[in-house]
Amino acid sequence: MNINPMAFIDNLYYMGVGMLCIIIVMAVIIAVTAFLNWITTRK
Amino acid sequence: MDILYTNLLDLNWQMLVMWAIGGILIYLAIAKEMEPTLLLPIGFGSIIVNLPNSGAITQIVDGVAEHGALSVLFDAGISNELFPLILFIGIGAMIDFGPLLTNPKLMIFGAAAQFGIFFTLCVASMFFDINDAASIAIIGAADGPTSIVVALKLGSKYLGAIMVAAYSYMALVPIIQPPIIKLLTTKKERMIRMPYEPKEVKKITKILFPIIITVITGLIAPASVSLIGFLMFGNLIRECGVLNSLSETAQKVLANLITIFLGITIASQMQAENFLCKETLLILGLGLVAFIFDTAGGVLFAKLLNLFLKKKINPMIGAAGISAFPMSGRIVHKMGLQEDPQNFLLMHSIGVNVSGQIASVIAGGLILNFFM
C-alpha cells in the first residue's frame, strides 16, 4: 500500500465544497420548513 | 472414507481467524447487545462463508459456477442496492420529525456533524484510491444503508470491512462520543439549560415535509434521490394518517425481514481472502476517525454559534447530529442529566439526531455527485 500525503491536501477541496453544500442544503430546508410552519399555523 | 476428510484439508488458518471474528461479532451482539440485529447475522454469515468450499457462496467447480444462496441473495438484493433502500422505507416510517419541525433551526447541527465524513475522505485518500476513500469516509454517516449504497455505487472492493466498521461503530456510539464531548466542552457549557417550548405542528406540515425534502435534495444532489426518496416515502406512509397498517408493516415486518437478509448477505463479502488484509484494519481505524470528527464537528459548530448568540445553546446537542438514531440523542440527554439533574435536553437532541439522518443521506448524495 502506497501512502500519498499530498492526496490529503488535494482533497481538501472536496471537504470545503462538501461542507459548504451540505450547510446550504440544510439552510434551504430550514427556511422552507420555517415557512411551512408559518403558513400552516397562521390564523 | 476420503469424502469425510478431503474437505477438511482445504481448511486454512485464515478461515479459523474468520470464525473467531464471527464468534466475536456474535458475542458482542448477544452478550453486549451491540446492534444485535445486524452483528449477529453478519457474525454467523462470516462463519458460513468461511467453511472450506462453502456451498453458501458461488464456487467454481471444474470450470462451472455452482451458485451459492448467499451469493444469489447478494446479486438479488445488495449489488442492485434493493435491500438497503427497502430498509430505508422502514426507517423512514419509524422516524418522527415532530421535534425537528418544532425547532427547524436545529437542523444546521445535522450538517455540521457530517464533518467527519469529509475529513476522513481526505485522510483515507492518502492510502486508498478516491472511490474507495469516499466509500470508507461514508462510514461517518453512521447509517448502514447509506454506506452500502455509496460503497456499491462507487464500486468499492472493501464492502465487507466497511459494513462491519459502520455497524460496529454505530453500536459503540455510547463509548465513542462521551469522551470527545467532554474533551471539547467545559462543565459550565454542559450545564447550559435549553427549555423546551412545545409548538403545535399541523398534520399538513408533517405530510408536506417529506415531499419537499425529497424535491429539494433531489434537485441539488440527484444521486441521493433513491436514498432520500425511500426514507421520505416511509415517513409519508407514517404521517399521512390513512395507511396505518402499511406504516406498521414497514416499521416492523418489512424492516425486520430486510435486516435478516441484509446482515447475512453482507457477510458473503467477508471471505478470508478478501477480509484478512491490512486494509481492513486501516478501514476500521478510519471509521473511528470519521465518528470522532463527526462528533467534534457538531460540538465545535455549536460552540462557534454560541459566540454570536444571546441565548446560548448547550454545545453537546451538536454531537447528536450524527445519524446514529436514537442512541446519539439519548447520550447527549443523559450527559446533560449527569451535569444537572434538571437539564432535559432530550427533545432538542432527538431533533438534532433526526436532522443528522437527513444530513447523512445528503452527504452520501454529495459524495456520489463528486465521484461517480
Side-chain angles (χ1 to χ4, degrees):
Chain A
M1 185 191 300
N2 296 322
I3 299 175
N4 175 16
M6 280 312 290
F8 184 92
I9 309 289
D10 295 343
N11 289 306
L12 284 176
Y13 165 80
Y14 291 111
M15 187 166 94
V17 175
M19 284 308 292
L20 186 65
C21 284
I22 202 163
I23 286 174
I24 291 171
V25 176
M26 291 307 270
V28 170
I29 292 174
I30 291 169
V32 171
T33 310
F35 177 72
L36 202 59
N37 274 334
W38 175 76
I39 209 159
T40 53
T41 52
R42 71 183 175 154
K43 304 210 170 139
Chain B
M1 285 300 284
D2 286 4
I3 199 164
L4 288 177
Y5 64 82
T6 45
N7 199 43
L8 266 178
L9 295 177
D10 288 333
L11 188 65
N12 57 40
W13 68 268
Q14 288 95 335
M15 290 173 176
L16 293 175
V17 172
M18 290 308 296
W19 295 1
I21 291 172
I24 291 169
L25 293 178
I26 292 171
Y27 168 77
L28 292 175
I30 297 171
K32 302 290 178 190
E33 291 189 33
M34 285 171 55
E35 291 282 333
T37 50
L38 280 150
L39 289 191
L40 191 139
I42 291 175
F44 188 67
S46 69
I47 295 174
I48 291 178
V49 300
N50 286 292
L51 290 163
N53 306 309
S54 169
I57 47 175
T58 300
Q59 304 281 354
I60 307 293
V61 181
D62 298 330
V64 180
E66 287 189 0
H67 296 288
L70 288 185
S71 302
V72 171
L73 271 175
F74 186 85
D75 292 338
I78 304 274
S79 63
N80 56 13
E81 301 143 25
L82 201 60
F83 288 172
L85 290 176
I86 293 176
L87 184 59
F88 251 24
I89 296 177
I91 294 171
M94 290 177 208
I95 296 178
D96 175 12
F97 285 118
L100 188 66
L101 293 172
T102 57
N103 192 0
K105 290 192 288 288
L106 293 178
M107 275 191 244
I108 205 70
F109 295 111
Q114 307 309 312
F115 174 70
I117 295 176
F118 295 102
F119 180 79
T120 307
L121 169 68
C122 295
V123 179
S125 66
M126 293 194 291
F127 307 98
F128 296 92
D129 70 50
I130 195 68
N131 279 19
D132 282 326
S135 305
I136 293 162
I138 208 73
I139 294 171
D143 181 347
T146 303
S147 301
I148 297 172
V149 170
V150 170
L152 283 168
K153 279 194 188 280
L154 295 179
S156 174
K157 304 183 279 292
Y158 304 108
L159 183 65
I162 289 169
M163 282 304 89
V164 170
Y167 284 112
S168 302
Y169 289 133
M170 266 191 272
L172 289 172
V173 158
I175 296 166
I176 297 169
Q177 283 205 306
I180 313 293
I181 296 171
K182 282 196 172 173
L183 190 72
L184 296 173
T185 54
T186 62
K187 187 174 175 65
K188 196 178 163 192
E189 284 173 328
R190 293 195 294 274
M191 288 176 74
I192 294 174
R193 288 189 181 183
M194 294 178 67
Y196 179 65
E197 294 152 12
K199 289 178 198 158
E200 185 194 11
V201 179
K202 296 277 185 192
K203 188 180 169 188
I204 183 73
T205 307
K206 288 188 169 186
I207 291 172
L208 288 174
F209 182 74
I211 300 169
I212 291 171
I213 298 291
T214 307
V215 173
I216 293 174
T217 313
L219 287 174
I220 295 166
S224 69
V225 169
S226 56
L227 282 167
I228 200 84
F230 276 64
L231 184 75
M232 292 302 165
F233 172 58
N235 190 254
L236 187 59
I237 290 175
R238 172 197 175 100
E239 300 297 352
C240 71
V242 293
L243 295 172
N244 291 342
S245 169
L246 290 192
S247 169
E248 210 167 290
T249 304
Q251 289 180 46
K252 292 174 183 168
V253 181
L254 182 69
N256 286 341
L257 200 61
I258 292 296
T259 302
I260 290 171
F261 286 125
L262 191 70
I264 202 158
T265 310
I266 285 292
S268 68
Q269 302 302 297
M270 290 177 69
Q271 293 161 64
E273 59 267 34
N274 303 328
F275 195 83
L276 289 182
C277 53
K278 55 184 183 300
E279 284 85 355
T280 300
L281 282 178
L282 194 53
I283 289 167
L284 291 172
L286 289 166
L288 185 59
V289 168
F291 271 66
I292 289 172
F293 279 84
D294 277 346
T295 306
V299 173
L300 293 176
F301 187 72
K303 286 175 70 130
L304 179 72
L305 284 186
N306 273 347
L307 296 176
F308 307 100
L309 294 174
K310 274 187 187 168
K311 204 174 169 185
K312 304 292 182 198
I313 294 167
N314 189 317
M316 289 198 297
I317 67 162
I322 72 167
S323 142
F325 179 83
M327 272 176 297
S328 195
R330 284 185 188 152
I331 287 160
V332 168
H333 172 63
K334 210 171 140 189
M335 288 182 74
L337 288 177
Q338 278 168 1
E339 300 294 345
D340 170 3
Q342 296 301 312
N343 196 4
F344 299 102
L345 297 170
L346 188 65
M347 292 311 280
H348 300 293
S349 60
I350 288 292
V352 173
N353 208 180
V354 168
S355 76
Q357 192 90 42
I358 298 171
S360 68
V361 175
I362 296 170
L366 287 171
I367 291 267
L368 289 176
N369 272 14
F370 288 153
F371 302 114
M372 252 174 68

